[in-house]
Amino acid sequence: MVGIGGSVDAGSQSDRALRAALSTITDLGAEVEVFSGRGLDLPPYPSGARLPEGARDYVEAVRRCDAVVISSPGYHGTVSGLVKNALDYLEELRADQRPYLDRRAVALIAVASGWQASVGTLATLRQVVHSLRGWPTPLGLAINSSVTTFDQDGGTPDASMAGALEVMAGQVVDFARCWGAGRPSPS
Ligand SMILES: Cc1cc2nc3c(=O)[nH]c(=O)nc-3n(C[C@H](O)[C@H](O)[C@H](O)COP(=O)(O)O)c2cc1C
């Protein structure tokens, strides 16, 4: 499982929500790698050119994985440039046997300081994942960081959101077990 997202800001809530989801996913038995905040501080995706050094591990991790968690802050009503640029690098998987996010469950989290941007950003993430041939989990999380906060250990006093996070983590792990690379192709 690969986690992608966060922001470069100290105490990033989208980073903390991502790590909270990955922690639950680890408890369910998955191995996780995370590329968040500064770990995604890549130059604009250079289509067709040699990949910058820092991008190779990231692209290879997604190539290997069975499922993905994406957590974007809502910036000006939509997915942040940092996260979108990281998703643009998945163009490198275009010619793979499993192109882009094909046959991978994708759990989605959108965090903004208001509902309009969090809900809108979640919808946009789903749209991007569909175009990358990924399978968004039935439950995605729109988090309003003015209402719900995560501490640095991934804890939140919002029991309802903690429960939703567990449900989403269960969905992405179940799907990865059913559809992961080791499973026979349905076609
Ligand atoms: C450049 C920028 C644009 C933002 N735009 C919005 C916005 O349009 N709507 C909103 O509710 N919050 C907006 N925010 C607030 C973030 O969504 C908020 O801080 C949230 O917690 C996610 O960012 P974080 O992961 O850095 O904590 C913006 C923040 C920044 C830095």
Side-chain angles (χ1 to χ4, degrees):
M1 189 92 57
V2 170
I4 302 167
S7 78
V8 297
D9 291 347
S12 163
Q13 286 294 309
S14 52
D15 172 72
R16 289 180 178 184
L18 173 67
R19 290 176 192 276
L22 292 173
S23 166
T24 305
I25 284 164
T26 303
D27 290 345
L28 293 171
E31 286 175 33
V32 305
E33 277 185 88
V34 59
F35 298 86
S36 181
R38 293 271 170 219
L40 289 175
D41 195 4
L42 305 169
Y45 173 62
S47 173
R50 187 176 159 77
L51 281 193
E53 188 68 37
R56 289 193 209 123
D57 287 352
Y58 161 66
V59 168
E60 284 309 312
V62 179
R63 176 170 275 138
R64 280 194 312 271
C65 79
D66 290 323
V68 179
V69 183
I70 303 172
S71 177
S72 179
Y75 275 11
H76 303 146
T78 190
V79 178
S80 71
L82 184 89
V83 172
K84 182 59 171 61
N85 187 44
L87 297 176
D88 290 345
Y89 273 81
L90 302 185
E91 186 63 16
E92 293 297 307
L93 308 182
R94 178 186 62 250
D96 284 16
Q97 198 180 4
R98 287 187 302 164
Y100 303 110
L101 296 178
D102 191 41
R103 290 172 62 82
R104 292 171 181 90
V106 187
L108 296 172
I109 305 169
V111 185
S113 55
W115 289 117
Q116 181 164 283
S118 58
V119 171
T121 299
L122 179 62
T124 301
L125 282 172
R126 284 201 182 108
Q127 203 175 345
V128 173
V129 168
H130 281 149
S131 77
L132 289 168
R133 307 189 200 180
W135 297 61
T137 51
L139 184 64
L141 304 183
I143 299 175
N144 181 339
S145 60
S146 304
V147 175
T148 301
T149 52
F150 288 84
D151 63 30
Q152 57 186 7
D153 299 319
T156 176
D158 183 340
S160 164
M161 187 57 74
L165 193 139
E166 277 190 31
V167 169
M168 188 185 70
Q171 289 177 348
V172 76
V173 170
D174 282 352
F175 190 103
R177 288 203 168 109
C178 292
W179 290 83
R183 302 282 167 186
S185 170
S187 52

